[in-house]
Amino acid sequence: ATAAVTVTQDSLLNVCMDAKHHKTEPGPEGQLYGQCILWKDNACCTANTSLEAHQDQSYLYNFNWDHCGAMPEKCKRHFIQDMCLYECSPNLGPWIDQVDSSWRKERIRDVPLCQEDCEQWWEDCQDAVTCKVNWHKGWNWTTGTNQCPKGAMCQKFKFVFPTAAALCEQIWSGSYRYTSHHRGSGRCIQMWFDPTQGNPNAVVAQYYA
């Protein structure tokens, strides 16, 4: 039985999800771009994907951050970081879930985000403007890029997401879970870390696996 448990555990560690742009398995990527560089030693994303993650109108998902006017840079960097984590991290195995969608077979659900990462995201984005709580669905895609659905009002994030927890848990339909765990605790996933100190998320995945 122990052997079986170990196999299950190992299959959750150092894996890439089966989604739109992910590599089949993680490995070094010398040329990762910008904020995605944290994962260059072991990544599920290619250099090309990491570059596209930084574009305002990226071909990755044709998603437009500026759907209610220009998103402030200090806010946008959190969305870029969120995308780098999603596309590049090999440490999300314990939270990978099967989905039946046209563009991906797997997604992440309830990834325990460190409190600081979530709070800082909310802090830097509270004055950015959006018209939707859940960014995964319900957009008007008739132009080929996401636009606010008819009748949706553009409001500041702080009114759409009154708390940091609301932002992290609702914006990508439950991909993240707000936690009171702190960076370095080994109990929560960090969107931001110092790559010279190694990747702190590997031990977190191991703990939850």
Side-chain angles (χ1 to χ4, degrees), residues 40-104:
K40 73 177 176 50
D41 293 342
N42 194 27
C44 285
C45 61
T46 60
N48 219 7
T49 299
S50 73
L51 179 65
E52 280 297 318
H54 290 71
Q55 309 299 327
D56 276 356
Q57 190 71 56
S58 144
Y59 78 78
L60 295 178
Y61 304 100
N62 290 322
F63 195 88
N64 177 20
W65 307 121
D66 304 332
H67 50 266
C68 276
M71 179 184 277
E73 289 305 318
K74 68 175 182 177
C75 173
K76 195 171 288 176
R77 68 190 191 101
H78 290 276
F79 283 95
I80 293 171
Q81 198 65 12
D82 155 55
M83 195 178 280
C84 287
L85 176 73
Y86 171 79
E87 299 289 351
C88 305
S89 175
N91 310 120
L92 300 174
W95 305 281
I96 289 176
D97 212 4
Q98 306 302 309
V99 275
D100 185 21
S101 103
S102 57
W103 56 281
R104 59 178 180 180

Side-chain angles (χ1 to χ4, degrees), residues 126-144:
Q126 55 176 322
D127 291 323
V129 182
T130 185
C131 55
K132 280 182 59 43
V133 172
N134 183 346
W135 286 16
H136 264 151
K137 48 180 185 235
W139 296 98
N140 171 359
W141 286 97
T142 48
T143 58

